Amino acid sequence: ETTKDLAKALAKMCVVFNCSDGLDFKAMGKFFKGLASAGAWACFDEFNRIDIEVLSVIAQQMITIIDAIKAKAARFDFEGSNIPLKDSFAVFITMNPGYAGRTELPDNLQALFRPMAMMVPDYALIGEIMFISFGFGNARPLAKKMVATFTLCSEQLSYQCHYDYGMRAVKTVITAGGNLKRDEPDEEEEMLLLRALVDVNVPKFLAKDLPLYAGIIKDLFPSLEEPDIDYGDLETAIRESCTELGLQQHPFFLKKVIELYSMTIVRHGMMLVGPTGGGKTNCYNALKMAMTKLHEQDNFEKVKTFVLNPKSITMGQMYGETDRSTGEWTDGILSVQMRAFVSDTTPDKKWIVFDGPVDALWIENMNTVLDDNKKLCLVSGEIIKMSEEMTIMFEVEDLEVASPATVSRCGMIFMEPQSLEVRTLVQSWVEFKLPTAAHKHREQIQQLFDDMLEPAINYQRRHAKEPVPTVNTGLTTSILNILDCYLVNYKDPTEVEEPISATELKRLADSIEPLFYFALIWSVGCTTDATGRAGFDKWLREQMAEKGAALLFPEDGEVYDYMLDEGRPKDDQPSRDPAWAAWLTTQPEYQIAPKAKFEDMIVPTKDSICYTYLLGLLTQNRKMCMHTGVSGTGKTVNVMRYLQSSLTNKQLPLTLGFSAQTSANMTQDILDGKMDKRRKGVY
């Protein structure tokens, strides 16, 4: 009986809630009413994210309840209500000092809590206990080796925002080791720990840190060689998915997809980190497709994904918000989707993917989702518990502004564009997008890319200065876009159209090499300033002469002064061989209209003709185009003049002015205002 009474006395309902800056005193008042009436406990996580004005009122609310408990009152007045009171009521708060969006607690609130600083725990002891709980017999030396690995990594490897060697990283390694122990109970325990350390840590390291990490592992496990794991059906399915998605089966990419799969087993929150063009989106798409292909087998389920850009909407639109004037609660996109996934009882895997920049404000609201609580806490007081099938993924460029609290909660997979190489993009383009008419020239095209693309990019990176920085994959995409625009003339004919003539096929054969050089100039060579262009002009001329190019540029001026005249018949001119033509010679002589106002006269220059031509080439073929440059270089004039005079009757210009105050919502409203809604989902 005594034990039962003790258990009854100690059985407390404890609510864990993740605080955010959206909480107001009314929401906190509702919490306190319920907690005081039930005599329950609450842990308010990240308490100092609440606004300072609200914290002041919370102090008064707490004092009211504590005074009533001291007076041993059975009921008391609180926020206009008379409610019952149980003296077992207690509040605990946790807070991290010093991050963005944090406040100092006011003195009257601090006085109500007994402070306790949490110290860094003994990782080796915790690791030993957890290893024993997973059934490891040799737990103590394994725990020491694991802690030594993390200590050496923190001392020897480079500093990166997404590296974390804290308690959660230790716990993930132990969980991975425990999973391996369960699958292979007779395997040597040191080998299981080695595999767990490699599986969990290698995905997040930069290429330059991998040899150092391999050295650390070799020193700690001198007698063991890391085994090659055969993923069998999964690897086969990933390779098939790559082919269906039009991707190359690059060893680095396949490795990252398998690392992502391994991470989904040991973490429910993870981040794909890396610059644009590293293959982050295709990585999770390839894994999703592969797992869905294998869903009839024991270990795999279908995968459903929900993707959103968190920075394209406000915090209220994402998590939900209370109307200040009416007090009415409106759900957010994330809360609606979380509820839908939680209520879905199928065994399918459900991934919520946040594709956009991480900042310290919106992502801190997800701290309790990403840690072991697995709960999304809304400002309305509702708490949504994640199901076992759910995974939260983030797709981000960097974590420069993320707090350590966020970094430690997520598994990291770093994807470097350099490891993928630009050659893979070219191979996919040649393999999947080249028109049939150009197939006989595939080897020549591939050879041109192999000989010139990477050397050109490397030259620009070493010798040129870019006003607006680019990435290598962006430059490669740019050259492929320009080639697409030209090769559209050689697309496979439909039933109605005439087949491609022999003359056209000969023109294609003669044009491929000069077309490539033209596209190279206006992709890789055009993102630099005047000094950089002069250097690139000299370098390219030397390379073309060295490679024995059939059509060399004229000696006058720079390579930027010429366009490729394919020699198509026009007006009364017959068909000609391809040749380089100066930009000014492609336009009729400029005539000033007799009644034109001075401010309306725009005299064409070689630059304005060139940029307008490229803009037209890209827009007519549905390719994006960005003009960059300092103020006063004619960007707006050129673009606006083209949009007003040269669009087809199937195109409609829409001009938006952007400033520092422009929000995604304002842009959306402008676009919506130009559209008619025909039916649901069709505008």
Side-chain angles (χ1 to χ4, degrees):
E1 285 298 318
T2 310
T3 311
K4 282 185 181 176
D5 290 342
L6 184 62
K8 200 172 181 181
L10 291 176
K12 293 276 176 280
M13 180 187 178
C14 185
V15 179
V16 178
F17 190 79
N18 192 42
C19 299
S20 70
D21 50 6
L23 275 176
D24 59 8
F25 74 95
K26 290 180 182 174
M28 291 301 292
K30 288 176 187 173
F31 262 116
F32 288 138
K33 280 181 185 177
L35 295 167
S37 303
W41 292 0
C43 174
F44 291 109
D45 214 0
E46 319 280 358
F47 192 66
N48 59 335
R49 292 190 64 226
I50 300 172
D51 291 337
I52 189 78
E53 299 87 350
V54 180
L55 289 173
S56 259
V57 183
I58 290 172
Q60 296 304 314
Q61 292 172 332
M62 287 279 298
I63 289 168
T64 307
I65 300 171
I66 289 168
D67 287 347
I69 291 172
K70 284 178 182 174
K72 298 187 176 177
R75 299 183 71 84
F76 75 117
D77 291 325
F78 183 81
E79 299 267 308
S81 305
N82 187 270
I83 57 173
L85 174 67
K86 291 187 180 175
D87 61 2
S88 56
F89 162 86
V91 169
F92 303 84
I93 63 174
T94 69
M95 49 186 278
N96 285 309
Y99 300 159
R102 308 292 174 127
T103 51
E104 282 294 316
L105 296 191
D107 292 343
N108 60 341
L109 189 56
Q110 278 188 34
L112 301 174
F113 293 94
R114 181 166 69 83
M116 184 188 299
M118 301 290 286
M119 307 306 291
V120 177
D122 182 347
Y123 291 169
L125 182 59
I126 293 170
E128 182 186 340
I129 294 165
M130 289 186 70
F131 275 129
I132 291 170
S133 72
F134 274 113
F136 283 81
N138 202 20
R140 181 167 295 176
L142 293 181
K144 286 182 177 176
K145 283 198 174 187
M146 178 182 62
V147 173
T149 304
F150 282 118
T151 306
L152 289 167
C153 286
S154 62
E155 291 169 356
Q156 294 187 18
L157 270 53
S158 66
Y159 171 77
Q160 303 294 330
C161 295
H162 65 276
Y163 286 5
D164 170 60
Y165 309 111
M167 189 65 238
R168 289 190 180 96
V170 169
K171 185 170 175 288
T172 306
V173 170
I174 297 168
T175 305
N179 290 342
L180 292 169
K181 179 73 173 173
R182 190 169 54 223
D183 294 340
E184 304 172 35
D186 300 326
E187 177 65 270
E188 189 182 346
E189 289 183 353
E190 275 208 349
M191 178 58 79
L192 295 179
L193 175 60
L194 169 64
R195 282 172 57 185
L197 282 167
V198 169
D199 288 350
V200 171
N201 288 327
V202 165
K204 69 184 170 196
F205 290 139
L206 273 67
K208 64 181 179 182
D209 285 332
L210 286 173
L212 294 169
Y213 185 67
I216 292 169
I217 291 291
K218 190 71 181 167
D219 290 346
L220 288 165
F221 300 90
S223 59
L224 297 178
E225 285 292 329
E226 187 190 333
D228 286 330
I229 311 298
D230 180 18
Y231 287 92
D233 291 341
L234 178 63
E235 187 167 341
T236 307
I238 292 169
R239 288 179 181 277
E240 289 172 7
S241 302
C242 286
T243 305
E244 288 179 35
L245 291 167
L247 307 171
Q248 294 300 305
Q249 297 173 20
H250 193 280
F252 170 80
F253 183 74
L254 295 175
K255 181 172 160 233
K256 286 296 172 187
V257 178
I258 288 169
E259 285 173 355
L260 179 61
Y261 170 71
S262 302
M263 194 66 75
T264 58
I265 296 170
V266 292
R267 293 258 197 165
H268 66 278
M270 65 208 65
M271 290 189 172
L272 286 158
V273 187
T276 303
K280 300 187 293 292
T281 304
N282 281 323
C283 181
Y284 77 76
N285 278 331
L287 180 60
K288 170 188 172 181
M289 189 179 282
M291 289 175 69
T292 305
K293 281 176 187 289
L294 298 172
H295 79 277
E296 291 172 4
Q297 298 185 17
D298 294 339
N299 298 333
F300 299 97
E301 300 291 347
K302 284 184 181 178
V303 178
K304 298 174 181 172
T305 52
F306 176 77
V307 187
L308 75 155
N309 181 349
K311 294 300 286 180
S312 67
I313 50 178
T314 62
M315 292 259 283
Q317 289 168 336
M318 185 164 156
Y319 294 106
E321 60 190 333
T322 305
D323 190 291
R324 295 278 179 189
S325 52
T326 63
E328 184 184 0
W329 171 256
T330 307
D331 262 321
I333 292 171
L334 180 61
S335 51
V336 169
Q337 191 58 41
M338 284 277 285
R339 260 191 236 106
F341 275 171
V342 169
S343 60
D344 183 348
T345 55
T346 61
D348 300 345
K349 299 289 183 190
K350 295 117 186 162
W351 296 350
I352 297 179
V353 184
F354 293 89
D355 184 353
V358 159
D359 68 37
L361 298 178
W362 74 261
I363 201 165
E364 295 274 325
N365 289 351
M366 303 196 70
N367 277 355
T368 44
V369 184
L370 297 170
D371 64 21
D372 289 349
N373 289 301
K374 289 190 173 184
K375 292 173 180 172
L376 177 67
C377 301
L378 305 177
V379 178
S380 61
E382 183 185 359
I383 297 173
I384 302 171
K385 180 93 164 79
M386 273 177 73
S387 62
E388 284 302 315
E389 297 82 23
M390 287 173 65
T391 298
I392 305 286
M393 286 188 191
F394 301 88
E395 193 184 322
V396 296
E397 182 170 4
D398 58 56
L399 293 167
E400 293 290 336
V401 293
S403 69
T406 299
V407 175
S408 69
R409 281 171 162 84
C410 293
M412 297 289 170
I413 293 154
F414 188 77
M415 301 195 68
E416 289 183 282
Q418 289 89 335
S419 300
L420 260 184
E421 304 170 316
V422 295
R423 193 180 292 114
T424 51
L425 279 175
V426 175
Q427 285 170 337
S428 289
W429 181 78
V430 169
E431 199 172 315
F432 300 110
K433 293 190 177 178
L434 208 58
T436 310
H439 277 196
K440 64 167 76 171
H441 307 293
R442 282 163 82 158
E443 286 185 17
Q444 182 191 3
I445 294 169
Q446 188 69 59
Q447 192 63 48
L448 283 165
F449 275 107
D450 290 345
D451 289 346
M452 293 299 300
L453 181 58
E454 284 192 44
I457 292 174
N458 292 337
Y459 174 84
Q460 290 291 67
R461 294 284 176 253
R462 281 197 303 272
H463 302 290
K465 179 182 169 189
E466 286 184 322
V468 177
T470 58
V471 292
N472 293 357
T473 44
L475 296 178
T476 307
T477 307
S478 189
I479 186 173
L480 297 178
N481 281 343
I482 293 174
L483 289 172
D484 275 339
C485 295
Y486 277 103
L487 294 175
V488 75
N489 296 318
Y490 305 99
K491 285 279 184 198
D492 305 341
T494 60
E495 294 172 9
V496 184
E497 291 173 334
E498 294 281 325
I500 299 172
S501 66
T503 310
E504 284 292 300
L505 291 174
K506 182 182 181 303
R507 181 177 291 113
L508 172 63
D510 294 342
S511 300
I512 278 178
E513 189 182 65
L515 263 181
F516 172 83
Y517 285 116
F518 179 79
L520 185 72
I521 292 163
W522 292 106
S523 55
V524 178
C526 71
T527 59
T528 182
D529 55 17
T531 309
R533 288 190 178 194
F536 186 78
D537 165 69
K538 185 180 175 187
W539 177 85
L540 185 63
R541 286 176 184 273
E542 289 171 0
Q543 292 294 315
M544 289 176 71
E546 191 180 306
K547 298 282 189 298
L551 192 63
L552 295 173
F553 282 94
E555 292 294 323
D556 296 340
E558 295 181 343
V559 293
Y560 299 93
D561 299 338
Y562 299 93
M563 70 165 288
L564 179 67
D565 178 3
E566 290 181 277
R568 293 182 182 282
K570 58 180 179 181
D571 302 331
D572 55 344
Q573 294 179 339
S575 179
R576 305 173 310 286
D577 290 335
W580 297 115
W583 287 109
L584 284 168
T585 63
T586 64
Q587 298 285 310
E589 189 176 338
Y590 178 64
Q591 301 287 335
I592 299 173
K595 295 184 179 178
K597 295 180 182 175
F598 178 75
E599 60 270 20
D600 293 337
M601 295 179 198
I602 299 173
V603 180
T605 64
K606 66 179 182 186
D607 288 326
S608 68
I609 296 167
C610 164
Y611 298 138
T612 306
Y613 172 80
L614 289 166
L615 176 65
L617 182 72
L618 292 164
T619 51
Q620 298 299 344
N621 289 284
R622 298 191 167 205
K623 307 286 185 187
M624 311 300 170
C625 185
M626 178 163 76
H627 287 239
T628 64
V630 294
S631 181
T633 48
K635 301 184 297 294
T636 307
V637 170
N638 280 331
V639 174
M640 293 304 294
R641 192 174 64 161
Y642 174 79
L643 293 179
Q644 288 166 4
S645 61
S646 305
L647 292 185
T648 66
N649 54 8
K650 291 184 179 178
Q651 294 171 312
L652 192 68
L654 168 57
T655 308
L656 309 182
F658 285 104
S659 74
Q661 304 306 314
T662 307
S663 69
N665 281 274
M666 289 161 60
T667 309
Q668 181 80 49
D669 291 341
I670 294 169
L671 292 173
D672 286 345
K674 299 288 183 182
M675 299 194 194
D676 297 325
K677 186 170 182 178
R678 296 292 164 87
R679 58 179 187 275
K680 186 179 179 183
V682 177
Y683 292 84

